[in-house]
Amino acid sequence: MIQYEKFNNEYTDQIDCPGTEKHYRLTSSGDSSSVDWCIMIEPYLPLIDQIKSMPVYQDDVWVITFPKCGTTWTQEMVWLLNNDLNYDRASKETLEERFPFLELTGALTLIGGDSVEKVRDLKRPRHIKSHLPFMLLPEAIHTVRPKVIYVSRNPKDAATSFFHHYRNIVGFDGAREQFFDAFLNESHIYAPFSGHVRRYWEWSQNPTANCLFLTYEQMKRDLRAVIEKTANFLGKQYSLDEVAELSKHLSVESMRNNKSCNMDDLLEWARTTNYSEERKKRVDNGFRFIRSGNVGTYKQDMSDEYIERFEKYEQRITKESGFDFYF
């Protein structure tokens, strides 16, 4: 059973903005020895039971990540692999139509609609995107065991990319250091990052979980190998030429220019809905939902002090866990 209470501290006070405000701490008690918790925002509360009780099918394919850890990139790869590389259909239907975001209406204030119903009514096989921590997944996912692909990313780049998302999608006008402090103190939506990654890593080690654990860094280092590994997980086989073609399609430049994937509509909605009046008057800063796509971009946004703090944070995550972020 999920319980929740209002959550605020000096860090939430600093990062509250039109797109994410009114934070809550959700807890789930398993046995007496473990208590899972996470931070969500008020619009998510009505979705708790809807998602917990929603039907799950064996032919579902889920892509789950902490925000800004390669979600869009992975969705496009997975959908094409599971749909016989149907580039024509992929170009005509947006990624949101093909691979909708389960808890969208509970994760972004003012977005409207019913994202859970949209997923529930999808034609099978369903492709489902989510950022939910393990504790908030549908109950049936543990017995039905659909295919789940989880992607992690090193905390420094994840936090940096999430900061730009907060600034350009959610409407955050504060200093990046304020956001980094909230990240390190696990006080923003979907926190804690550490628990999010480690819990899915542990689950993926269970052979019956049907969960493939990937990292953003793996994808950057050898995308073709990840494509082949993911295809095998999905029960698909493709030639070397087909893998090479998909790898080219998934390049950062290609994705950024792909109107079915680049989320330009979401960015335009954010500019008119979440931006302050002062910010609306500023010249467009050229932000794109799909940014550089590189590893190590945190170096452009973090001071040496914050890099050191994040490296200590990362060490706490990986200590005795059996996984790394594969730099």
Side-chain angles (χ1 to χ4, degrees):
M1 182 176 180
I2 305 295
Q3 298 177 318
Y4 56 85
E5 59 184 353
K6 193 77 172 69
F7 177 83
N8 64 281
N9 56 26
E10 62 180 296
Y11 307 110
T12 58
D13 290 345
Q14 290 176 344
I15 65 168
D16 264 351
C17 48
T20 56
E21 58 183 353
K22 299 179 181 177
H23 295 73
Y24 281 75
R25 190 178 194 269
L26 282 60
T27 57
S28 173
S29 298
D31 53 47
S32 58
S33 63
S34 64
V35 176
D36 288 334
W37 67 274
C38 66
I39 304 299
M40 296 299 286
I41 57 173
E42 190 171 68
Y44 183 76
L45 303 183
L47 306 186
I48 294 174
D49 292 336
Q50 289 184 51
I51 291 177
K52 273 292 182 181
S53 62
M54 70 176 279
V56 175
Y57 305 107
Q58 197 168 37
D59 57 357
D60 284 348
V61 179
W62 293 63
V63 165
I64 304 176
T65 71
F66 191 87
K68 310 312 295 179
C69 289
T71 324
T72 303
W73 196 18
T74 308
Q75 286 175 267
E76 182 73 351
M77 174 183 72
V78 168
W79 190 91
L80 284 165
L81 287 174
N82 209 39
N83 285 274
D84 302 319
L85 303 179
N86 191 340
Y87 294 103
D88 183 59
R89 182 182 164 193
S91 68
K92 294 175 181 176
E93 299 178 20
T94 67
L95 192 57
E96 175 58 24
E97 292 172 317
R98 293 179 279 127
F99 218 130
F101 183 5
L102 174 62
E103 73 274 12
L104 174 61
T105 49
L108 192 57
T109 308
L110 305 176
I111 193 71
D114 188 339
S115 58
V116 177
E117 182 180 16
K118 182 177 181 179
V119 167
R120 211 164 33 217
D121 294 343
L122 276 177
K123 182 180 178 181
R124 294 171 58 186
R126 303 182 305 179
H127 293 77
I128 302 168
K129 161 191 169 179
S130 179
H131 297 311
L132 289 178
F134 188 79
M135 61 175 275
L136 296 181
L137 292 179
E139 294 290 349
I141 211 167
H142 306 294
T143 53
V144 177
R145 298 187 180 92
K147 287 182 169 61
V148 175
I149 298 164
Y150 184 87
V151 186
S152 76
R153 191 179 190 181
N154 78 79
K156 295 189 289 293
D157 279 335
T160 299
S161 187
F162 206 13
F163 159 70
H164 287 286
H165 179 88
Y166 251 68
R167 181 161 181 76
N168 293 284
I169 302 295
V170 187
F172 174 61
D173 279 340
R176 67 193 69 197
E177 290 79 11
Q178 292 175 322
F179 182 81
F180 293 155
D181 285 339
F183 193 101
L184 289 166
N185 288 278
E186 298 170 336
S187 297
H188 53 75
I189 189 171
Y190 292 112
F193 174 86
S194 56
H196 203 290
V197 175
R198 287 194 59 158
R199 190 66 183 87
Y200 278 104
W201 165 255
E202 292 164 358
W203 189 47
S204 73
Q205 301 309 290
N206 183 340
T208 66
N210 211 16
C211 177
L212 175 65
F213 191 98
L214 302 173
T215 73
Y216 190 93
E217 287 72 21
Q218 283 177 319
M219 294 175 72
K220 286 300 298 182
R221 187 171 63 247
D222 193 344
L223 181 58
R224 293 188 187 189
V226 171
I227 289 172
E228 291 172 348
K229 183 177 184 178
T230 306
N232 183 63
F233 177 72
L234 294 169
K236 303 286 186 177
Q237 285 189 326
Y238 294 101
S239 69
L240 291 177
D241 286 345
E242 288 172 323
V243 170
E245 182 184 11
L246 179 56
S247 180
K248 183 178 180 180
H249 174 82
L250 294 171
S251 70
V252 173
E253 193 60 32
S254 175
M255 290 286 287
R256 191 179 289 132
N257 292 322
N258 185 340
K259 292 184 178 180
S260 74
C261 297
N262 62 22
M263 305 292 183
D264 280 352
D265 289 345
L266 175 63
L267 183 54
E268 184 58 33
W269 171 86
R271 286 171 177 154
T272 58
T273 308
N274 291 334
Y275 284 21
S276 65
E277 290 303 316
E278 179 184 348
R279 186 139 177 238
K280 287 177 183 177
K281 299 174 184 176
R282 298 178 195 167
V283 177
D284 179 21
N285 62 5
F287 173 81
R288 302 293 301 273
F289 188 86
I290 298 171
R291 295 176 57 245
S292 71
N294 293 322
V295 175
T297 56
Y298 67 87
K299 296 172 185 176
Q300 301 166 21
D301 286 287
M302 283 188 188
S303 65
D304 290 343
E305 175 195 346
Y306 276 91
I307 290 175
E308 182 178 356
R309 289 174 62 187
F310 268 89
E311 287 177 347
K312 290 179 180 178
Y313 178 78
E314 181 182 315
Q315 290 167 9
R316 292 198 299 272
I317 301 173
T318 57
K319 184 179 180 182
E320 300 177 356
S321 65
F323 88 96
D324 202 342
F325 290 105
Y326 300 101
F327 292 116

